[in-house]
Every structure is written in structure tokens, then in C-alpha cells.
Amino acid sequence: MSRPPVNPASSPSPSEEPGQGRDQPDGNARSARPPAVVVVALVVALEATVLLAAAGLYGYQLAVGSPVLSFWGAVFTLVLLLAFSVWLYSVAVFLYRGYRWTRAAALVAQLFALTIGFPTLSNGLLIPGLAMLLPAITAIVLLFQNKVLRYASRTGGSTPAL
């Protein structure tokens, strides 16, 4: 969905100010956050928490001297786990707020979870495989609901430059 063109000479209406709620198409009442948005944001935040826990365990193992082939490779992996965890937390927060860019980021995260979950499940690890697949499939289905698409269509809060 795209917005209608705005005359840059006019000042933005109160509903276009940063930090204000978005209006429904009739322009009168604030739109309610769909429950599907809350579920997807919680799934993404839960995935971020799991990555953070994995990073903590990985860092602990690295600190107590577990054997690794490359110390700096292990440090790089730890930094990647932490960075992805922070990234997923920010995706969850901004998806909950209704920003447009988070839909793509959440979808890519779920596709990565599917990519890891299917081989895990097919290797006979039923519980970890289902723990990756079920939330990812749920989030993907919910990301494409019309209410979620309408709600998560907010762009940045700044006014046009020209």
C-alpha cells in the first residue's frame, strides 16, 4: 500500500507527526494493533532470546577453555550470534510499533529458521526441529494477513525533504 502524494508546502497533519498513532482509512480513530502482529513480534523476540542464550552458552564455553580450531573464528561466531540477537530484538520492537521494513526482516529470519529446522527434523531431532519449524511457519502465515499488512505499513516519521 502506498500513501497518497503530500504537498510539501503544507505542514504535516497531526497524524503524520513522529510518535503519533496512525489513523484508519476514515481518518477518525486510531487503528488497533492486530493480535497477529503481537504473535509475530513475540515469535521474533523469542528467537532473539534463544540466540542470546546460545551466545551466552557459547561465550561461557569459550571462556572456560573448550577446545576450538580457531580462537578468533569462535570469537567471530560469538559476535555474530550477539549481533543477530540484537537485530531480531529491534525487528520485534519495530514490528510491534508497525514499521514497514520489519515485515521483510521478520520473513527472512523465519526463512532462516526453516532452513535450519527442516534438516534438524529430518535428522531425527524431533523436539528441536519442531521448536524451530512451528513458530517460523506460524509467523510466516501471520505476516501475510491483511490486518498485519495494513498495520505494518508505517514509514519513517520524518517529513519529505522537498
Side-chain angles (χ1 to χ4, degrees), residues 32-43 95-96 138 142-143 145 147-148 151:
R33 182 175 292 115
V37 169
V38 176
V39 170
V40 175
L42 286 174
V43 166
L95 177 66
Y96 186 78
T138 302
L142 293 177
L143 274 172
Q145 283 189 345
K147 290 181 181 180
V148 173
Y151 179 78

Side-chain angles (χ1 to χ4, degrees), residues 50-120:
V50 169
L51 278 178
L52 188 62
L57 181 63
Y58 196 78
Y60 171 75
Q61 291 294 324
L62 192 60
V64 297
S66 293
V68 293
L69 291 176
S70 167
F71 175 76
W72 292 110
V75 169
F76 178 73
T77 303
L78 177 63
V79 169
L80 276 180
L81 286 171
L82 291 172
F84 286 147
S85 177
V86 169
W87 172 249
L88 284 178
Y89 276 127
S90 66
V91 168
V93 167
F94 286 106
L95 177 66
Y96 186 78
R97 292 181 184 175
Y99 281 86
R100 178 180 296 171
W101 62 268
T102 57
R103 293 188 323 241
L107 178 63
V108 168
Q110 302 320 306
L111 292 176
F112 281 134
L114 288 177
T115 303
I116 297 169
F118 276 120
T120 303

